[in-house]
């Protein structure tokens, strides 16, 4: 969760400052996928989910999808995540909010720099993850793991 949340955001900020948004697209894309694949190898499932996906491969399990649908499109303020153990499976979910740095790639299409828009169009033919404003609920980071039997 930490890797997909704060650490990824810090890496994103650094990449934006270093190489500009074109370079940072790599961070939000390849690194997030690498982190989730690594967690899967450790017997955990985790990912980033949204009602409006950029990458259609970011599908979520039913309990995450259900949470997203209950929240709907709204501001992130006051949204509560999930932290449960049910039937031997631990599940955690944290809401993700949009802030200023996200707008370069997830804001109104006309506010996205043309070079970034082109890059996104090339990589994500089915991109639905634009048009967000600061404070919007973007989606969630989730993780689940089967606990060892007592
Ligand atoms: C430099 C461009 C860029 C910036 C800035 C950026 N993103 Fe992304 N974002 C992407 C790309 C590219 C993907 C697709 C990732 C993939 O292929 O899994 C993505 C995917 C996501 C996803 C996964 C769900 C989906 O739509 O596929 C979430 C959640 C997300 N971004 C949240 C954020 C948040 C929150 C911020 C601000 C802190 C942010 N992004 C900033 C480019 C960006």
């Amino acid at each position: 969760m930490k890797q997909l949340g704060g650490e990824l955001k810090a890496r994103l900020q650094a990449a934006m400052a270093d190489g500009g948004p074109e370079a940072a697209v790599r961070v939000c894309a390849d690194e997030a996928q690498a982190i989730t694949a690594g967690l899967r190898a450790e017997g955990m499932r985790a990912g980033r989910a949204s009602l409006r996906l950029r990458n259609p491969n970011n599908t979520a399990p039913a309990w995450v999808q259900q949470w997203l649908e209950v929240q709907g499109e709204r501001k992130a303020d006051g949204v509560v995540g999930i932290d449960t153990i049910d039937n031997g499976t631990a599940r955690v979910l944290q809401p993700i909010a949009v802030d200023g740095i996200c707008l370069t790639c997830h804001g109104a299409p006309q506010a996205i720099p043309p070079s970034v828009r082109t890059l996104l169009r090339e990589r994500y033919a089915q991109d639905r993850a634009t048009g967000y404003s600061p404070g919007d609920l973007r989606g969630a980071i989730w993780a689940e793991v089967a606990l060892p039997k007592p």
Side-chain angles (χ1 to χ4, degrees):
M1 302 282 293
K2 220 168 93 192
Q3 284 179 323
L4 277 175
E7 288 178 21
L8 189 64
K9 191 167 169 186
R11 299 265 308 115
L12 189 70
Q13 258 154 343
M16 292 275 274
D18 263 13
E22 297 82 4
V25 165
R26 242 203 81 253
V27 176
C28 215
D30 305 346
E31 295 202 12
Q33 294 295 341
I35 292 169
T36 49
L39 292 173
R40 240 184 329 266
E42 288 170 37
M44 223 173 297
R45 295 181 65 208
R48 297 189 302 164
S50 176
L51 284 178
R52 278 153 57 193
L53 285 179
R54 170 153 290 161
N55 184 342
N57 295 333
N58 286 327
T59 49
W63 63 275
V64 175
Q65 198 58 34
Q66 217 168 49
W67 182 91
L68 289 171
E69 277 158 25
V70 167
Q71 308 308 319
E73 301 284 352
R74 54 163 292 166
K75 291 289 173 195
D77 239 17
V79 172
V80 178
I82 296 177
D83 187 352
T84 61
I85 295 179
D86 183 27
N87 247 331
T89 299
R91 299 197 165 100
V92 230
L93 178 155
Q94 280 170 9
I96 307 177
V98 173
D99 69 18
I101 191 184
C102 318
L103 300 181
T104 311
C105 302
H106 295 293
Q110 63 274 17
I112 299 175
S115 56
V116 175
R117 235 184 295 159
T118 306
L119 206 58
L120 292 175
R121 208 174 316 120
E122 280 167 12
R123 279 182 92 132
Y124 305 98
Q126 305 171 52
D127 189 5
R128 296 178 60 215
T130 58
Y132 286 98
S133 306
D136 286 350
L137 181 66
R138 172 70 176 91
I141 309 176
W142 60 271
E144 73 183 334
V145 64
L147 300 174
K149 298 244 156 34

